[in-house]
Amino acid sequence: MAPEDNEPVLDWPLPVGEPGREVWYSLVSPTDGSVAFWYRYTLLSTEGGRQEGRLWAALTDREAPDRSVFVTRSVPFEDVRARGSPSFSLTIDDAELTSASAVGSIPLDADGDEGDDGGGVAWDLSYDPDPYSFTPLRSQRLTDLLAKTVGTGKHWSANEAVRMDGEVTVGDRTIEFADAPGHQGHTLGSSPPESWTWIQCNDFDDRSVVLEALDIEGTLSICLRRDGEVHALNRLKHVVGPKANTTEHDEPGFWRFSGSGEGVELRVTVRAPEDVKWQTVSYMAPDESLRYNAHCSLADVTLTYTVDGEEPVTLESSAGRAEWVGAEPPLEGYAYPPEW
């Protein structure tokens, strides 16, 4: 993995009033798909002077949805350290993220109350870094230009598909992870898009297959990995124009899309099962507007692909990581913590 894929891009801490937001996030599920764990390390500086490092953690429990939990806490910049070369390390209070590990704890939720389980959440996870990173646009020059001119920001799936070991503790409950499919990404920007839809899955029966796709306001980037080969449909021609990847249907809980090129044709359907709990959260942009995230950490994914004219292959997973994000709540009738 290139070291710059996780290194902080902005020069933290930013001066008060200088807008910026940089996020490192990760997801992991045990191989039985019984639960999913989602955690984030965020650095935020707003135009209005708000400055914080923030941790959040969400456990989704498939078999007992009422045991699912979301907790978050904010710390001042003096308790934040973001370091790059020679090795990446981000610390927020007593939590630390590197390119091969993550430890942290959140004892209380945003309102100062104990989590639903009667306590907080702690995690201690490790993994071998993935040497491949996926970006929505392959051209870094074009990415840099768009980030500077229209504020689109940047995104790396720095550890797009890893196998994690360790444990997560929720109250008096401990969940062990061994060789568990996981993902870790890094994103930043001063003005996030109004909306986007995202899926990542490396929990198919064929362990060599990894799927990731990101639709940002109608521009769709796709990556399929199989048997050590990478088919990244993220050139400009794949994102815009007559041969671009296609989103056929997209609403919270149901997304169908397709793409072709780079030796592959594929079609994907993503569904949020009715019996799996949504994690609905909000986060603040540097201009102090909010983005609302409806996240399904245990989504159903059906992938059909053909490589170089071979017979089609269909794979399914019930542990995809899917999210629908908007400037307005994607799902009505849900709370979107924290309250900013």
Side-chain angles (χ1 to χ4, degrees), residues 39 100-102 124-128 162-167:
Y39 56 98
S101 65
D124 187 347
L125 299 163
S126 62
Y127 42 93
D128 291 330
V162 293
R163 295 277 161 172
M164 295 188 179
D165 298 299
E167 64 181 30

Side-chain angles (χ1 to χ4, degrees), residues 228-245:
E229 294 185 64
V230 177
H231 307 273
L233 306 182
N234 63 342
R235 295 187 186 276
L236 192 60
K237 65 180 180 181
H238 299 132
V239 177
V240 296
K243 296 184 178 180
N245 305 321

Side-chain angles (χ1 to χ4, degrees), residues 308-329:
D308 294 326
E310 299 176 0
E311 289 296 314
V313 175
T314 296
L315 297 173
E316 295 183 341
S317 174
S318 59
R321 296 107 190 196
E323 66 181 20
W324 287 263
V325 181
E328 298 294 332

Side-chain angles (χ1 to χ4, degrees), residues 20 27 46 60-61 83 90 108 117 135 154-155 176 178-179 218 256 271 284 316 324:
L27 302 107
T46 71
T60 300
D61 191 312
R83 294 179 287 272
L90 172 66
L108 301 174
D117 63 301
T135 57
K154 301 180 183 181
H155 172 84
E176 301 286 344
D179 198 34
R256 178 171 289 149
R271 292 185 183 273
M284 182 174 286
E316 295 183 341
W324 287 263

Side-chain angles (χ1 to χ4, degrees), residues 190-222:
S190 58
S191 57
E194 290 290 303
S195 63
W196 66 87
T197 308
W198 176 77
I199 179 69
Q200 187 274 342
C201 187
N202 61 328
D203 192 42
F204 298 105
D205 287 340
D206 183 345
R207 289 182 48 155
S208 77
V209 173
V210 182
L211 171 71
E212 184 171 4
L214 176 65
D215 186 311
I216 301 176
E217 299 178 349
T219 61
L220 174 61
S221 302
I222 307 173

Side-chain angles (χ1 to χ4, degrees), residues 26-28 37 39 41 96-104 123-130 159 161-168 175-184:
S26 192
L27 302 107
V28 59
F37 185 59
Y39 56 98
Y41 298 62
E96 182 181 24
L97 178 71
T98 74
S99 287
S101 65
V103 295
W123 61 96
D124 187 347
L125 299 163
S126 62
Y127 42 93
D128 291 330
D130 188 343
N159 282 304
V162 293
R163 295 277 161 172
M164 295 188 179
D165 298 299
E167 64 181 30
V168 171
I175 302 163
E176 301 286 344
F177 293 87
D179 198 34
H183 170 84
Q184 186 254 313

